[in-house]
Amino acid sequence: MLLRLDLQLFSGEKTEKATPNKRREARKKGQVAKSNEVTSAMILILSFGVLLIFGKTMVEGCLNIYRQSFHEYMLWDLSISSVALMFNQLLWQSVKLVAPILAVAMVAAAVGNYMQVGFMFNFESLKFNFSKMNPLTGLKNMFSMRSLVELLKAMLKISIISSVVFMIIWKQKDQLLIVGQKSIYDFARLIGSLVIEIGLTGAGSLAAIAAADYLYQKLSFEKKIRMSKQDIKDEYKKTEGDPHIKGQRRAKQRQMSMNRMMQEVPKADVLITNPTHFAIAIRYDIATMDAPQVIAKGQDYVALKMKEIAKEHKVMTVENRPLARALFAAVEVGDSIPEELFNAVGEILAYVYYQEGRYKEMMR
C-alpha cells in the first residue's frame, strides 16, 4: 500500500520536460521565456549610438530653432494665423530632430522581442481577467519568489548604473567645476559627451544584467512548464486516443494512399475490372520482374476513378469478374501475382500485348 502511494506521488511530481504540445499551448497563452531587460538594453545601446553618430547634427538643429525663434519669430505680428504657422514649423523641425531616435528605439524594441520569442501576437493577454483584481492574489504575488527576484534585480540595476554615473562624472569633475568659464559650444560639447558616455556605459552594464536575467527567465520558464509522468500520459491519451483525431488521421492516410495509387495507374499494362465494383491495375516488366505485380486496386468509387484515369492515359481495360474478385481479395498493392492466378493474368497480358502490337517486340 505504501509502495503504491509512493509511486502515485512520484508520478505526480513535475520532473519531465514539457512536450511540444505543452509548449504550443503555453505560447498561445502568451507564456514564453522573455526578459524585458534585453529589450531595454538594446533600446538604450542603439539610441545612444544614434546620438553618438548624429549628435552634432541634432545640436545644430536645436541651435537653428533657437536662432530662428529670435531672428524671425520675434519680428512677426502676433495673430492667430502667425502663431499657428509658427507652431507648425517648430513642431515639424522638432519631429525631424527626434524622429531618428524614436525610429531606432521602435526597431530595437521589435528586434529585442523577436530575438527572444520570435513573431508572436497574443490575444489572450488582451482579455480582461477578473482574477487579477483579487486582493489575495495580489498579496500572494507581492510576496512571491518572483517579486523578490524582481526587487533584487531593480536594486542591482540602480546600484550599477549609479556607480557608473558617479565614476564618469567624478572623472570629469575638474572640467565641470570650471564649466562657467567655457563658451556655450564648449559647454554643450562637454555635457553632450558626458551624456553619451554615461548612456553607452550604463547600457552596456544593463546588457550584462539582461543576459543574466534572460538566463534566469529561461530556467524559470522551463521549470514552470514541467510536466509529471501522469501529465504526459494524459496528454498522449488525449491526442492519440481521441476518436475524432484518429478518424482524421485515418482519412488523411487513406487519401494519401489513394493519391499514390492513382499516380501508378498510368504505368499499368492492363486494368482488370469486375466491371463496376473492382479494378486492379497490373504491370509487368520482363527485364526487372519475376512475375506481374498489382500496382493499384480499388473498389466502387475508387475503381470508377481508376477506370477514368486508365481511359485518359490509354491503358487497356479488360473485364474478367472472377479474376478481378480473386485478385482484389488475395493480392495487396505492391505484391506479385500468386502462382495459382499467374496463368489467367498471363493470358490477359498476352492479349493486351497482341492488341497493342507489343507481343512481337517482346518475342525478339
Side-chain angles (χ1 to χ4, degrees):
M1 184 68 180
L2 291 175
L3 179 60
R4 185 182 301 173
L5 183 60
D6 289 340
L7 290 174
Q8 289 177 352
L9 291 173
F10 179 74
S11 64
E13 292 182 0
K14 298 185 181 298
T15 57
E16 307 300 315
K17 289 185 178 180
T19 60
N21 186 52
K22 174 76 171 182
R23 294 179 185 277
R24 283 193 296 270
E25 290 181 355
R27 186 178 178 86
K28 288 179 182 179
K29 297 177 182 178
Q31 299 174 1
V32 290
K34 177 184 172 183
S35 171
N36 294 327
E37 309 305 327
V38 173
T39 305
S40 301
M42 188 165 290
I43 291 174
L44 286 175
I45 291 174
L46 293 182
S47 298
F48 279 102
V50 171
L51 284 176
L52 180 63
I53 298 172
F54 300 104
K56 186 176 180 181
T57 304
M58 297 181 70
V59 171
E60 288 294 332
C62 292
L63 291 176
N64 288 335
I65 293 176
Y66 178 80
R67 295 191 191 98
Q68 189 175 5
S69 298
F70 283 92
H71 292 170
E72 183 178 345
Y73 296 146
M74 292 291 289
L75 303 178
W76 286 10
D77 294 331
L78 187 62
S79 64
I80 295 177
S81 59
S82 64
V83 171
L85 179 60
M86 178 182 66
F87 176 79
N88 291 333
Q89 291 181 356
L90 289 174
L91 179 63
W92 174 242
Q93 293 176 9
S94 301
V95 167
K96 288 194 294 184
L97 286 176
V98 300
I101 297 180
L102 294 178
V104 167
M106 291 176 62
V107 171
V111 171
N113 282 282
Y114 184 80
M115 288 172 56
Q116 298 182 81
V117 299
F119 180 78
M120 186 181 73
F121 189 79
N122 184 261
F123 290 97
E124 290 289 334
S125 58
L126 300 179
K127 293 182 179 179
F128 186 77
N129 190 354
F130 287 97
S131 63
K132 294 182 178 179
M133 301 180 63
N134 189 346
L136 295 177
T137 305
L139 288 173
K140 183 179 178 181
N141 292 333
M142 285 177 60
F143 296 101
S144 64
M145 179 59 68
R146 186 178 184 85
S147 298
L148 179 60
V149 171
E150 291 296 326
L151 176 61
L152 293 175
K153 187 172 65 177
M155 294 175 62
L156 182 63
K157 284 194 297 184
I158 293 172
S159 301
I160 292 177
I161 294 176
S162 300
S163 301
V164 168
V165 172
F166 175 78
M167 287 188 293
I168 293 174
I169 293 178
W170 183 258
K171 187 173 63 175
Q172 298 289 339
K173 65 181 185 301
D174 296 334
Q175 295 293 326
L176 291 173
L177 289 174
I178 59 173
V179 71
Q181 304 174 12
K182 296 180 180 293
S183 65
I184 185 67
Y185 293 101
D186 292 335
F187 171 76
R189 189 180 298 110
L190 175 64
I191 298 301
S193 63
L194 273 177
V195 170
I196 292 175
E197 185 178 1
I198 290 172
L200 290 176
T201 308
S205 303
L206 186 60
I209 298 174
D213 183 59
Y214 178 74
L215 180 61
Y216 166 76
Q217 297 293 344
K218 186 76 174 176
L219 296 174
S220 178
F221 174 74
E222 291 294 330
K223 183 178 179 181
K224 182 179 179 181
I225 64 171
R226 278 181 185 172
M227 303 174 68
S228 64
K229 295 183 183 297
Q230 187 62 41
D231 291 336
I232 295 176
K233 290 180 181 178
D234 293 341
E235 182 184 286
Y236 179 80
K237 289 180 181 178
K238 182 179 178 181
T239 55
E240 297 297 325
D242 191 341
H244 180 65
I245 295 176
K246 281 187 174 181
Q248 287 183 332
R249 188 181 297 113
R250 284 195 296 267
K252 189 173 182 180
Q253 289 172 348
R254 286 194 298 267
Q255 183 65 35
M256 292 173 64
S257 177
M258 189 178 73
N259 291 339
R260 285 195 298 268
M261 283 200 308
M262 295 305 174
Q263 292 173 0
E264 294 294 322
V265 172
K267 304 175 185 179
D269 292 320
V270 63
L271 188 71
I272 302 175
T273 64
N274 190 30
T276 57
H277 294 295
F278 301 110
I280 295 90
I282 304 294
R283 181 171 181 267
Y284 181 49
D285 186 351
I286 194 171
T288 60
M289 297 180 183
D290 295 329
Q293 288 183 352
V294 173
I295 60 173
K297 70 175 185 177
Q299 185 177 7
D300 297 332
Y301 170 77
V302 178
L304 181 62
K305 188 69 176 176
M306 289 174 64
K307 290 173 65 177
E308 292 176 358
I309 296 174
K311 183 178 180 181
E312 181 182 348
H313 291 84
K314 298 180 180 179
V315 176
M316 185 174 289
T317 300
V318 175
E319 180 182 336
N320 190 320
R321 299 187 180 188
L323 182 58
R325 291 194 192 97
L327 287 172
F328 188 87
V331 187
E332 296 297 330
V333 175
D335 291 346
S336 298
I337 301 299
E339 186 176 353
E340 60 270 19
L341 299 176
F342 188 79
N343 289 335
V345 174
E347 290 176 359
I348 290 177
L349 287 173
Y351 170 75
V352 171
Y353 293 155
Y354 178 77
Q355 293 293 325
E356 294 179 351
R358 288 194 287 168
Y359 187 78
K360 293 180 179 179
E361 295 179 3
M362 294 178 63
M363 294 299 294
R364 290 177 184 176

